[in-house]
């Protein structure tokens, strides 16, 4: 049995990558505990395993007072029981099984910890109000409610694409959290469907999303002859249609990125047509003017289009119709004129007061001169 044990440990080290020394140390601790428990001894003991022959020995540790004060001398006596091999075999089996499980969990965690941000395809295993389990093959991932798209239904056995948002290390192995709402899901789907993005010819600059309803994605081309929007849409809309179907009909607006912020903000409010954009670089604020018939389209349902445009560009956006803009501009002009008029009146009053003071001083001076004469 002893030689078989060493052979088994050598095989484990080769196949599973579990170091023999690690198992030997754990085995010695476990055997010491098993010996104390089975033979009901109270003294301290030590287990020695010969890694060449596999022979297992039990030593009783005896503490004796040393020659110098406060020092103890420890001696060992072999107390290996005749039938200890049976206990050793059972203990070794448990320890090795435990170490294999821990090693497999560690390997699985190492495999998944670097996959945060990856797109994976899984099969729905269980779904209820608390959580949804997705089988990824080696591990079952958790799709929590806050990562689920409102209105989506996850049926048992259904295949679904998810985005790995987090991997946590637990005592039961890695806990993989997947998402259907993350903006990274859209990025990975476009990389999958659009070869130009995967090759670096077309680049995704920014993504804004309200999962289940609408998303905006800004793209730019690194080659002059490639249309970034056309590449993402695909022939007759085939590429973007595949992504929309995967997202359950979620609308996707693809806009062209521009380093000119005025043009970028105009593009971000697509499909609305923008007449004018006034920007404040210091405060990252933009005032957008559209025609009256484009106002509701620019703002979107419950402000969704404007909200997504603001997230896409990173700027605060205020949208007004041309009529509202002209009215506010006229009011501002009137206020400025009134302000200027008030300033002129105040200036005239100051001049008059000054003249009155000067006349008063002149009269007093003449009176003094007449009195002296």
């Amino acid at each position: 049995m002893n030689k078989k044990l060493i052979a088994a440990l050598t095989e484990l080290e080769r196949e599973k990558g579990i170091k023999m020394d690690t198992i030997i140390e754990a085995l010695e601790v476990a055997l010491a505990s098993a010996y104390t428990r089975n033979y009901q001894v109270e003294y301290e003991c030590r287990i020695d395993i010969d890694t060449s022959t596999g022979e297992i020995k039990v030593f009783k540790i005896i503490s004796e007072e040393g020659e110098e004060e406060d020092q103890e001398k420890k001696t060992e006596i072999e107390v290996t029981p005749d039938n200890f091999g049976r206990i050793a075999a059972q203990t070794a089996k448990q320890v090795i099984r435990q170490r294999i499980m821990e090693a497999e969990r560690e390997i699985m965690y190492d495999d998944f910890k670097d996959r945060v941000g990856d797109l994976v395809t899984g099969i729905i295993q269980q779904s209820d109000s608390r959580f949804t389990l997705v089988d990824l093959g080696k591990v079952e991932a958790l799709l929590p409610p806050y990562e689920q798209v409102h209105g989506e239904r996850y049926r048992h056995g259904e295949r679904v694409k998810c985005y790995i948002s987090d991997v946590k290390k637990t005592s039961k192995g890695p806990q993989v959290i997947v998402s259907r709402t993350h903006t990274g899901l859209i990025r990975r789907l476009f990389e999958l469907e659009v070869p130009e993005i995967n090759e670096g010819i077309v680049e995704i600059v920014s993504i804004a999303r309200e999962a289940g309803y609408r998303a905006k994605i800004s793209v730019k081309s690194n080659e002059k002859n490639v249309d970034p929007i056309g590449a993402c849409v695909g022939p007759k809309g085939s590429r973007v249609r595949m992504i929309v179907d995967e997202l359950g009909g979620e609308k996707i607006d693809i806009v062209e990125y521009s380093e000119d912020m005025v043009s970028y903000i105009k593009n971000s409010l697509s499909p609305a047509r923008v007449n004018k954009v006034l920007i404040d670089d210091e405060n990252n604020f933009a005032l957008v003017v559209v025609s009256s018939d484009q106002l509701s389209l620019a703002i979107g349902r419950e402000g969704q289009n404007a909200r997504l445009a603001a997230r896409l560009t990173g700027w605060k956006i205020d949208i007004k119709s041309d009529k509202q803009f002209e009215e506010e501009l006229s009011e501002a002009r009137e206020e400025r004129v009134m302000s200027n008029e008030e300033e002129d009146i105040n200036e005239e009053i100051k001049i008059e007061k000054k003249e009155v003071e000067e006349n008063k001083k002149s009269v007093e001076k003449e009176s003094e001169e007449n009195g002296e004469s």
Side-chain angles (χ1 to χ4, degrees), residues 217-251:
I217 172 173
S218 62
V219 293
K220 70 176 183 178
S221 175
N222 294 321
E223 290 189 12
K224 292 182 179 179
N225 298 327
V226 177
D227 174 20
I229 297 178
C232 292
V233 172
K236 297 181 180 179
S238 59
R239 292 175 177 174
V240 73
R241 193 183 306 117
M242 291 287 289
I243 298 170
V244 170
D245 290 344
E246 177 60 40
L247 297 176
E250 183 176 320
K251 294 180 180 178

Side-chain angles (χ1 to χ4, degrees), residues 277-312:
V277 178
L278 304 174
I279 62 173
D280 178 0
D281 291 317
E282 291 184 2
N283 299 310
N284 282 7
F285 174 79
L287 176 62
V288 176
V289 182
V290 298
S291 57
S292 299
D293 62 328
Q294 293 289 306
L295 182 61
S296 59
L297 188 61
I299 295 173
R301 186 176 182 180
E302 296 179 355
Q304 188 183 71
N305 194 55
R307 193 163 54 247
L308 288 173
R311 290 182 196 169
L312 191 73

Side-chain angles (χ1 to χ4, degrees), residues 183-243:
T183 55
L185 178 62
I186 290 183
R187 183 181 293 274
R188 296 298 179 222
L189 287 172
F190 269 98
E191 290 174 355
L192 185 67
E193 296 293 338
V194 183
E196 290 85 350
I197 293 178
N198 202 29
E199 293 169 7
I201 298 171
V202 174
E203 183 181 340
I204 297 174
V205 179
S206 181
I207 299 173
R209 184 186 183 197
E210 291 189 359
Y213 300 99
R214 195 171 185 178
K216 284 183 181 287
I217 172 173
S218 62
V219 293
K220 70 176 183 178
S221 175
N222 294 321
E223 290 189 12
K224 292 182 179 179
N225 298 327
V226 177
D227 174 20
I229 297 178
C232 292
V233 172
K236 297 181 180 179
S238 59
R239 292 175 177 174
V240 73
R241 193 183 306 117
M242 291 287 289
I243 298 170

Side-chain angles (χ1 to χ4, degrees), residues 133-155:
L133 293 178
V134 183
D135 184 10
L136 301 182
K138 291 183 178 180
V139 67
E140 278 190 338
L142 181 66
L143 178 62
Y146 60 85
E147 296 288 7
Q148 297 177 17
V149 176
H150 179 71
E152 274 192 348
R153 295 291 178 266
Y154 307 103
R155 298 174 182 85

Side-chain angles (χ1 to χ4, degrees), residues 302-340:
E302 296 179 355
Q304 188 183 71
N305 194 55
R307 193 163 54 247
L308 288 173
R311 290 182 196 169
L312 191 73
T313 59
W315 279 51
K316 295 177 182 177
I317 298 176
D318 187 16
I319 303 174
K320 296 186 182 297
S321 68
D322 48 7
K323 185 177 180 182
Q324 289 173 330
F325 178 69
E326 288 298 331
E327 288 176 354
E328 291 185 5
L329 198 61
S330 298
E331 289 177 3
R333 285 172 182 162
E334 289 177 5
E335 288 178 0
R336 191 178 302 166
V337 169
M338 290 176 66
S339 177
N340 291 336

Side-chain angles (χ1 to χ4, degrees), residues 63-119:
S63 299
E64 298 177 352
E65 292 185 2
E67 295 178 358
E68 297 181 12
E69 191 177 353
D70 297 332
Q71 283 191 350
E72 287 186 352
K73 185 179 179 181
K74 292 186 177 182
T75 57
E76 296 180 348
I77 302 173
E78 186 181 350
V79 290
T80 309
D82 294 335
N83 64 340
F84 192 61
R86 178 181 58 81
I87 297 171
Q90 292 175 349
T91 306
K93 187 177 180 181
Q94 293 172 358
V95 170
I96 291 170
R97 186 185 291 117
Q98 181 66 26
R99 286 293 168 176
I100 290 173
M101 288 176 62
E102 289 175 1
E104 288 177 343
R105 287 168 183 167
E106 191 69 31
I107 291 168
M108 202 178 298
Y109 174 74
D110 290 338
D111 286 345
F112 278 93
K113 72 178 182 180
D114 296 326
R115 294 189 63 188
V116 174
D118 282 1
L119 180 70

